[in-house]
Structures are given as C-alpha cells and as structure tokens.
Amino acid sequence: MTDTPFRYAAPSDECDLIMKGGITSGVVFPRAITELATRYRFMHIGGTSAGAIAAVMTAAAEYRRQSAAAPEEKNAGFALIDAMPAELAANLPTFFQPSPETAPLFHIGMAMVRTKRSKAAAVALEAVKVFHLSLLLAVLPGLALFVAGVAAANLALGILGVLIALIGAIAQLAYQLYRAVAVVLPANDFGLCSGLTQPGSDKPAFTNWITERIEAIAGSVRPDGEARPLTIGDLERYDITLKSVTTDLSSRRPYELPFGDRVHNYRRSEFEKLFPPSVMSYLIKESKPRDIAAADGTRDFYQLPPASKLPVAIIARMSLSFPGLIRAVPLHRFDYSLRAATRRDPSTHIRCLFSDGGITSNFPIHMFDGLLPGRPTFGISLTSYDARRHGEDEDGSGGSRVHLPRRTAEGKATPVYPIEGLFAFVGAILDTARNWQDTLQSQLHGYSERIVEVRLDDAKEGGLNLDMNAETVNFLSRLGDKAGAVVLTNFDFNEHRWRRAMTMLPTLAEQLRKLSNRYMEPATEHRIDYPAILTEYDPTGLVGVSKADRVALDELTRKLAALGAELDRRPIPPASSQKVDLRITASMDTNPRGANPPRPDTPPSPDP
C-alpha cells in the first residue's frame, strides 16, 4: 500500500495518537505522523504545546481523508504534512516575530540562548546594542564634563566626567532592562511574540502559518459548501476527536481543550491581537455578545461559541503559549467564589491568562485511555539525547536517537540528572513539578511499550533553538520518519494488551477487595452502613439522585462487594513489582462553577 501514489488513502487499522510539547521540537512530528498514516486511521488525536500543533494538523488531514471521495483527495492532506519539513526548514526562524515594543527583549533573549560562552556577557553586549540611543543620551553629561576637563587640562574634572558617564550608562541600562521585563512584558501578557505576522515581514508568523496550513491540509471548503475555518464539529462529523491541554494561570489549574462548558468570554479587541482576520470573522459570527462593560467602558465581550463551532486553530494557539516567549491568551469569566451579593457584578468578571499546556501536562499520555484498550494509543515523546545512556550516533543516521521499548525492563529505568548550580536547581524544581506525573505514567507496563522516544541534542536541536538551520530541521524530520517506522515494525498490540491487563486487573481486584470490606462494615453508634447510605440516608449535597438510581447504585455495589469478597478469599497477586494506583481524580474538564451537571434525558452512549 505504501508504494502506491496514494499511500495514505486506505489505512487498514485504527489508532489514537498523543504528542509531547517542545516548541521547535515539533519539527520531529510531521514525518512520524505520515509514516503512521500509511497503516492507521487516527481516531483520537491529542498533544500539548508544539504537540497540539501537530495534533491539529493530523486531525485536519484525517478529516480530509474521511470526507473526500477520490483517492487523490483522501491522500492530499497527509501528503502536505509529509512535505512540511522543507517548509519548516525554510521558514522556522521567521515564525517567532516579536512585537515592536518587545523586540529589544527578544533580541537580548536570543543572544543569551545562542551563546556558547558567558550568558551574562551576551546579555550585556546585546542590551548595549538594542538600547544604544538611550545609553548615548545617558552618558552625554559625563562626556561633556570629560571634554571640558581635557580642554581645561583639569584631570579631576575629566575623571569625574568618566565616572558620571559610567554611572549614567549603568543606571540607564538597568532601567531599560527593568522596564522591558517588569513593564513591557506584562503589558503584552508575558509573551514577546503574539503569533501574528508583524508589519514589514514578508513571511508569516506562527499563528498565521498554522491557520493557513490547517485550511490547506483540510481543504478550504467544507462539505456543506462553506469556505470557513475547520471546527471541532467538522471533525466530530467523521468520528475524529481532537483534544489538547492549556493552563489557566489565574485559576491555578489545567483545562482540557475544547472546553466542556461555556463559562468563558473573550474580548474582541484582545483576540484581534492574537488571531488572523479569517478566524476572527468566523468567531464573531458564531459568538454571542455579552452585555458586560470593561473597566474602560468598552462593551466588546463575546461568549466563546460551543465546542462544535470552535475553530481548531484556537485550540493549537491556546496550548502553545510558552511563558515569556509567546503571549498568553486572555479569557474572562465570573468568579463564583466571591460573595453571592456581587455575582454578575462587572467587578467579579475576572480576566484569566491561559498559558502553555506543558506547564501542567506536557505529555498527556493518559488522555484517551480506558481500563482495557480497544485500539493502540501511540505516544511520541521528546527527550534529551545523552550518549552515555543512549550510545553514540556515530554515522549520523539517528540510530541511537529513536527508541521504542520492547522488553519490560526498558521502560521503567529512571535517569539521574546531577544538579550543578542554582539555575539547575531551580530548573529541576520546575521540571519535576510539571512532568512527574507524565514521567511515571509513561514508565508503567502497558504504557511504555507504545511510546516511541525521540532524543534531541538540547544544545542545538528543538526547544528554544528558534533559528535551527535547514540541515538540523531536516535531520530532526528524518528522526520522526524513523520513529514512525519503528512503531510500525516493532509495536505488538497483543503484547501491549497483555501488559495493560496485567497492570490494571490485579490493581482493580485489590480495590474491589477493599470495597467489599468497606461495604460490609456493620453500622455503629455514630456511623450507618453503606447499604443505608445508598438507599435511606437524607443528604444535604448532590441531592438530585432519584430513588430508583439509588437502589440501582446499591445493587451494583452489592455485586462488586460480592466479587471483592471472593477476591478476599482468593487474592490475585500483582504481575510485577511496579506499584499502580487506581483512584478518583479530578478531570481537567471540571466545571469551574462547581455546580452540579444537568441530568441527561437519555443514557450516555458508551465510550468507543
């Protein structure tokens, strides 16, 4: 099939796909996606940050494959993704275009990232370049005194002039750096780049490029005849699920995208600084105006449209807001934790900043998992290359740079990274806080063997290396091609299902045993038993459960307790030494109102 002109037109199997975040590391993904697309139809697609961009592109290509009739059209979307590395190699350095007011700080930051020597010296030299006019003005008084001292042959006056010039230069430089970091950056929602193409640039910035690529890959005209942005609803029509993660820093929590509720509003004036006209015109058309006045009296608030009407480009942009580099996305909602008397008061309509999804979950490998898998959920992970651990890449082919664990021992080894210096210590704290859950989850049996790891040289590849040359970009795209090929060759779905079952079922058995013991506990003077809790207790919260439903819950619990009692007599030992928790955790889709969900009129359909 892969040798035909339409190598992506007729996949034989189904899979889900999760991709890790990493800013420019995302250049790895296109060829990995297209290699997998030769065999698999993508059903559920997700990712964070740069992984979200790849997920949106994959969803657009799958949409075209499912919605088109002719083989060449079914093939066209993935063919465009396959050709993307050349486009990235030519344009990657121009994707990150700073706003005019943030350009000085952007150039200083780039100098610090690029240097292989002293970062402090690089910052100082670049700061002198970008602030040279203000520095010149600051040293003029001292220079005047110096010239006067030379003219009068007054050594003391000359020395005083030099000292005043130096003090003026240092003070002015400190002020300009302070203003850039403490005033200009917050005014731009803590991002140097808005994502929109800046005046004077003849190449698109990343948000313009993402929007254009989505429409090119999906086809600009929808089956209903409309020429409009691709939406979540368009994907759902063909059973394609797209999800990502963003982080609401103002609420101190992650959110799953698209939102599961409609509590958020946006300001047109703010969104026009982040999204191109093609997205904004559609968004305004589908959004409901809100009668809310901003602090300046402007009434340009709109309620976000329902998920089905949300352009997928917004999902990519909301997940890709790397702090400091890419401007956060502002949304607004009422704060229902404030006094009830002030609800719906404009003062309770709070501005929330949504930043990079990788802050809270950079590799949400759990996103599409059930207890037992019906189809594989592949993960493409990005990590640091270390020749001591991974072996030398002597011929430059990337042989040691791509790895899919096959033996159970391969997936659970945790590397040790020495902490040397204050910055390494702070970096380790931040990295551990945001990645520990994803890291541990990825090492479990039943998970590790379906996650292909692509290892990058942090000094020159991916991450904040915004100006990678064409040779580097092409090499990383070849690593992606190799990653996809490794999955097609080495992944064994039956072995994966066995390992997942051996990880999950003994854990479930242990929980059922504990449930049985709790359910069977007799009542005491201060505590009624669980059968009475479920059928007779008069609650003060969650009161909407009907009597029939309560009886059904009790019947279910009795059956589970009976299973647990049997397991108490004949325990099922764990299959490995790995420890696994099975517990109730909050979903990233939790409603910020804290209200009870509406009761469905019909039972929900089962998950696929």
Side-chain angles (χ1 to χ4, degrees), residues 108 123-132 134-135 138 166-180:
I108 293 171
V123 167
L125 288 174
E126 190 64 27
V128 169
K129 291 180 183 178
V130 298
F131 297 128
H132 65 277
S134 59
L135 288 177
L166 286 174
I167 292 171
I170 293 171
Q172 182 63 221
L173 188 61
Y175 168 74
Q176 291 294 343
L177 287 173
Y178 167 80
R179 183 178 179 278

Side-chain angles (χ1 to χ4, degrees), residues 8 66 164 479:
Y8 312 113
Q66 298 306 317
I164 290 176
L479 292 185

Side-chain angles (χ1 to χ4, degrees), residues 355-376:
S355 193
D356 196 280
I359 295 172
T360 46
S361 184
N362 204 34
F363 188 40
I365 190 62
H366 61 279
M367 189 172 276
F368 303 128
D369 284 336
L371 294 180
L372 293 175
R375 57 176 174 260

